[in-house]
Each structure stands twice: as structure tokens, then as C-alpha cells.
């Protein structure tokens, strides 16, 4: 049995360890063909970081990692290679340090990785600018991947002063991208929420939000087909452990973990819940234990709304574009 990919969201690590990987590279191939700026939001623990890591590995030309996967023979691995700046806000400390200092530390590490020298007194914005300038100097376009773009905002959503300060820092930081339009191959941003998208990226008026596109509705999460195709041995092992038929097991798994739909038609399983279920072999609310958006729970409590009251509510797409933190 292949090892369950728990505890790692790095594509290269999973592949080198021969861990179980649900092949999503058909979507990555499509992403490569799309216009430069892409935004994609999903809840926590849905596989966004693994997706970002997979896109990075493609653009870094690491063909050996994709053997046996959909994309392996679909691209020219030499011409696809680009310098990649992968900014992961889960690694940016905003608790024991200011956002500026946390971002500076992260950018210094990225500069070191790309062998780009920095000087004392540089800001995170300065380093980002220098990275883009130097990495694009040889004529190769640059790929920028930003994971959890909104973490510094979500962490302070209850503190309006700090929230606004972080928004201003991020707006200035991302503004660096605009002058480099012609030197960018792809800019791919992910996050949990869509709030602040317009105000933070106000200088980048060509970002397309693919969050509710039917084409990408199953890019993160496992479909029913993927569950039954990739987890055959785990399904058999768990049904034996729980002493129930595979049909009953799949029925219960669907009831517990198949509650996500991003196009209103197709549904997907939460990967984190599925992997933990197969590891511990018991039905529990795994996502809720680690992925609960506290702001949502607090909002429900303050407005005295029961979760089941939200189940049948339908809203317009525009509602999700609200940039006001109070909404």
C-alpha cells in the first residue's frame, strides 16, 4: 500500500517517497494554457498548497517527478522551464513579528535560494523587485506563485486597525508585479477567502477569478471516482476493520466527507478528512478539528444563526466579491 500523504503538502516530497498522489495534473496542464493572472480560492485543508507545489514543479521542469501522471508526455519539459518565485504566507510569521519583518525574512530566504544578493536596509518589497528584475534578465519569463495570500488578513480579521495596516502592506507589495507584466509567464494566487481581492490587487486589474469555474470545480478535493480508484486497498482494509461492507463504508464516507461543491453541481471529498479517516479508521469530524474558520463561527454566534439555517441558501456570485471586511 502506498503511504498516505499526511503531514506533507510538497509535491516533490510525495513523489520521491512514492506516497499516494491523486493525479490532478490534467488541471495543471490547463492552467499553463490560461492567461497570465489567475486567482483561485478554496477552504482550508482542500489541497491548495499541494496544487501550488505541483505547478511549481512543472515550471521548474522536474519531469522525473511526473512519470506515470497525465501531464508527463503532454508538454515540452525544456521549453516550459521558468524561474519560479513561490511565496507561501503560511511561512510568514505575523504573530511574533510584524508582517513587514515576517515577509522580509521569507523574501530573504527566497533570494538566497535563487542566489540573488540582498543588502542591509532592503524591505520585502525591495527584494521582491530585485528577484523579478534579476530572474527575468536572461530573457526567461518568471512564474510567481502565492499560497495563502490572505493569511495575514484572516489572522487579524477581528482587529480592524491591524487588518487595514496589513492590507496596505500587501497592496504595496503586490503592486511590484505591474511593471513586470511583459516578463511574467504566470501569476497564480490562492487563498481561503475572496475578500480584499479587489482592494489588495487594485493595481492588477487583469486578474481572473477561477474559484467558481465549472472547469476547475474538482481541481481540489477528491471526486467519487478518484476515491474509489486511488484508495482501493484502504477501502478494503477499513471495511474489514469496521466490519461493514464496502458499499456501506462508501455510503457513510459520502455522508461524512462529501459536502463540498464549487459549481453547484459536482461534489468533492475533503482530502484532509479522507486521509485521516483511512489512517485512524474511524468516522470523526477531522476537518472541523483543524480547519474551522473561527470568524465564521463567531459570526454565527453573534447573529444567533444555526448552521442548518444556511444549508439551502443561494446567493449571487457578486456576494463573494465583497471587499469590506465587515461583510
Amino acid at each position: 500500500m502506498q503511504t498516505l500523504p499526511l503531514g506533507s503538502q510538497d509535491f516533490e516530497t510525495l513523489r520521491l517517497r512514492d506516497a499516494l498522489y491523486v493525479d490532478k495534473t490534467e488541471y495543471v496542464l490547463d492552467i499553463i494554457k490560461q492567461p497570465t493572472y489567475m486567482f483561485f480560492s478554496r477552504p482550508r485543508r482542500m489541497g491548495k498548497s499541494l496544487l501550488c507545489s505541483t505547478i511549481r514543479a512543472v515550471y521548474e521542469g522536474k519531469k522525473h517527478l511526473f512519470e506515470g501522471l497525465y501531464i508527463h508526455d503532454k508538454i515540452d519539459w525544456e521549453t516550459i522551464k521558468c524561474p519560479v518565485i513561490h511565496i507561501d504566507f503560511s511561512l510568514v510569521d505575523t504573530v511574533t513579528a510584524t508582517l513587514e519583518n515576517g515577509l522580509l525574512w521569507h523574501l530573504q530566504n527566497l533570494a538566497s535560494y535563487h542566489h540573488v544578493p540582498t543588502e542591509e536596509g532592503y524591505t520585502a518589497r525591495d527584494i521582491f523587485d530585485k528577484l523579478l528584475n534579476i530572474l527575468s534578465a536572461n530573457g526567461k519569463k518568471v512564474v510567481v506563485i502565492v499560497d495563502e495570500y490572505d493569511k495575514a488578513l484572516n489572522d487579524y480579521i477581528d482587529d480592524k486597525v491591524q487588518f487595514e495596516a496589513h492590507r496596505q502592506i500587501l497592496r504595496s507589495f503586490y503592486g511590484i508585479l505591474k511593471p513586470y507584466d511583459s516578463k511574467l509567464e504566470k501569476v497564480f494566487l490562492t487563498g481561503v477567502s475572496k475578500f480584499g481581492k479587489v482592494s489588495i490587487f487594485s493595481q492588477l486589474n487583469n486578474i481572473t477569478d477561477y474559484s467558481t469555474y465549472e472547469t476547475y470545480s474538482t481541481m481540489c478535493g477528491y471526486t467519487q471516482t478518484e476515491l474509489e480508484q486511488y484508495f482501493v486497498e484502504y477501502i478494503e482494509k477499513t471495511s474489514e476493520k469496521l466490519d461493514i461492507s464496502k458499499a456501506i463504508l462508501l455510503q457513510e464516507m459520502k455522508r461524512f466527507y462529501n459536502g463540498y461543491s464549487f459549481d453547484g453541481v459536482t461534489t468533492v471529498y475533503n482530502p484532509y478528512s479522507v486521509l485521516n479517516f483511512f489512517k485512524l479508521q474511524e468516522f470523526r469530524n477531522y476537518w472541523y478539528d483543524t480547519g474551522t474558520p473561527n470568524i465564521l463561527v463567531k459570526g454565527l454566534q453573534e447573529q444567533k444563526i444555526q448552521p442548518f439555517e444556511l444549508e439551502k441558501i443561494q446567493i449571487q456570485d457578486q456576494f463573494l466579491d465583497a471587499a469590506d471586511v465587515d461583510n
Side-chain angles (χ1 to χ4, degrees), residues 68-90:
L69 300 182
Y70 179 86
I71 201 173
H72 185 258
D73 60 352
K74 305 291 194 304
I75 59 176
D76 185 327
W77 288 94
E78 284 305 312
T79 58
I80 197 71
K81 288 178 70 172
C82 295
V84 179
I85 301 174
H86 186 180
I87 301 170
D88 183 353
F89 272 90
S90 70

Side-chain angles (χ1 to χ4, degrees), residues 36-138:
T36 303
Y37 290 89
M38 299 183 67
F39 173 78
F40 185 74
S41 83
R42 283 294 181 269
R44 292 183 178 89
R45 304 290 191 174
M46 286 299 297
K48 299 187 301 299
S49 295
L50 179 56
L51 173 65
C52 288
S53 179
T54 308
I55 295 170
R56 172 181 176 174
V58 169
Y59 278 114
E60 288 181 336
K62 296 181 177 179
K63 181 180 179 179
H64 62 286
L65 299 178
F66 294 87
E67 190 170 342
L69 300 182
Y70 179 86
I71 201 173
H72 185 258
D73 60 352
K74 305 291 194 304
I75 59 176
D76 185 327
W77 288 94
E78 284 305 312
T79 58
I80 197 71
K81 288 178 70 172
C82 295
V84 179
I85 301 174
H86 186 180
I87 301 170
D88 183 353
F89 272 90
S90 70
L91 302 177
V92 176
D93 181 12
T94 60
V95 178
T96 62
T98 63
L99 173 58
E100 173 60 39
N101 287 337
L103 195 53
L104 176 61
W105 176 83
H106 189 46
L107 266 291
Q108 285 173 334
N109 286 339
L110 290 178
S112 177
Y113 174 81
H114 287 286
H115 306 292
V116 172
T118 61
E119 298 177 14
E120 189 174 348
Y122 270 20
T123 63
R125 194 177 190 276
D126 293 334
I127 299 176
F128 192 25
D129 185 33
K130 190 169 185 179
L131 275 167
L132 289 166
N133 186 38
I134 290 180
L135 294 181
S136 63
N138 63 358

Side-chain angles (χ1 to χ4, degrees), residues 22 38-39 59 67 69 162 179 243 249 254 288 298:
V22 175
M38 299 183 67
F39 173 78
Y59 278 114
E67 190 170 342
L69 300 182
Q162 200 64 49
D243 195 24
L249 177 73
K254 187 171 186 178
Y288 188 85
K298 183 177 180 181

Side-chain angles (χ1 to χ4, degrees), residues 62-325:
K62 296 181 177 179
K63 181 180 179 179
H64 62 286
L65 299 178
F66 294 87
E67 190 170 342
L69 300 182
Y70 179 86
I71 201 173
H72 185 258
D73 60 352
K74 305 291 194 304
I75 59 176
D76 185 327
W77 288 94
E78 284 305 312
T79 58
I80 197 71
K81 288 178 70 172
C82 295
V84 179
I85 301 174
H86 186 180
I87 301 170
D88 183 353
F89 272 90
S90 70
L91 302 177
V92 176
D93 181 12
T94 60
V95 178
T96 62
T98 63
L99 173 58
E100 173 60 39
N101 287 337
L103 195 53
L104 176 61
W105 176 83
H106 189 46
L107 266 291
Q108 285 173 334
N109 286 339
L110 290 178
S112 177
Y113 174 81
H114 287 286
H115 306 292
V116 172
T118 61
E119 298 177 14
E120 189 174 348
Y122 270 20
T123 63
R125 194 177 190 276
D126 293 334
I127 299 176
F128 192 25
D129 185 33
K130 190 169 185 179
L131 275 167
L132 289 166
N133 186 38
I134 290 180
L135 294 181
S136 63
N138 63 358
K140 272 286 189 181
K141 289 191 174 184
V142 179
V143 171
V144 177
I145 300 171
V146 182
D147 192 11
E148 296 199 38
Y149 89 96
D150 53 350
K151 184 178 184 298
L153 299 176
N154 283 320
D155 286 349
Y156 290 90
I157 201 165
D158 285 335
D159 185 339
K160 290 185 179 181
V161 175
Q162 200 64 49
F163 179 93
E164 186 56 34
H166 283 188
R167 180 151 58 178
Q168 294 296 337
I169 291 172
L170 293 175
R171 179 187 294 168
S172 173
F173 181 74
Y174 292 126
I176 285 290
L177 291 169
K178 187 62 178 175
Y180 289 95
D181 264 353
S182 63
K183 298 180 179 181
L184 295 172
E185 175 66 28
K186 182 72 63 183
V187 177
F188 187 81
L189 305 109
T190 73
V192 172
S193 50
K194 290 174 66 177
F195 75 78
K197 175 172 69 71
V198 175
S199 59
I200 291 176
F201 307 126
S202 56
Q203 298 177 59
L204 308 177
N205 53 14
N206 49 356
I207 288 185
T208 302
D209 183 357
Y210 290 83
S211 304
T212 55
Y213 275 40
E214 182 180 355
T215 309
Y216 298 115
S217 61
T218 58
M219 183 161 67
C220 286
Y222 303 147
T223 64
Q224 187 69 38
T225 300
E226 289 169 339
L227 178 75
E228 296 183 37
Q229 174 186 344
Y230 288 92
F231 296 91
V232 173
E233 293 173 300
Y234 281 99
I235 290 171
E236 292 178 355
K237 181 181 177 182
T238 306
S239 65
E240 290 174 6
K241 168 69 164 54
L242 299 180
D243 195 24
I244 56 177
S245 68
K246 285 189 285 187
I248 295 297
L249 177 73
L250 290 171
Q251 178 182 314
E252 284 300 289
M253 285 192 71
K254 187 171 186 178
R255 186 170 71 89
F256 264 78
Y257 308 124
N258 190 253
Y260 295 84
S261 181
F262 300 101
D263 62 355
V265 180
T266 54
T267 60
V268 291
Y269 288 81
N270 176 264
Y272 182 78
S273 295
V274 168
L275 296 175
N276 274 282
F277 170 73
F278 283 132
K279 178 185 179 181
L280 299 180
Q281 298 181 317
E282 59 179 294
F283 288 99
R284 287 168 51 186
N285 298 318
Y286 298 105
W287 182 88
Y288 188 85
D289 289 342
T290 61
T292 308
N294 294 324
I295 187 64
L296 176 60
V297 175
K298 183 177 180 181
L300 293 172
Q301 292 172 338
E302 288 179 349
Q303 298 183 45
K304 296 181 172 57
I305 297 174
Q306 296 298 320
F308 65 82
E309 295 178 51
L310 304 174
E311 289 182 359
K312 301 299 180 183
I313 290 179
Q314 294 186 4
I315 58 172
Q316 300 288 323
D317 271 355
Q318 304 94 284
F319 181 84
L320 298 175
D321 287 326
D324 184 353
V325 63

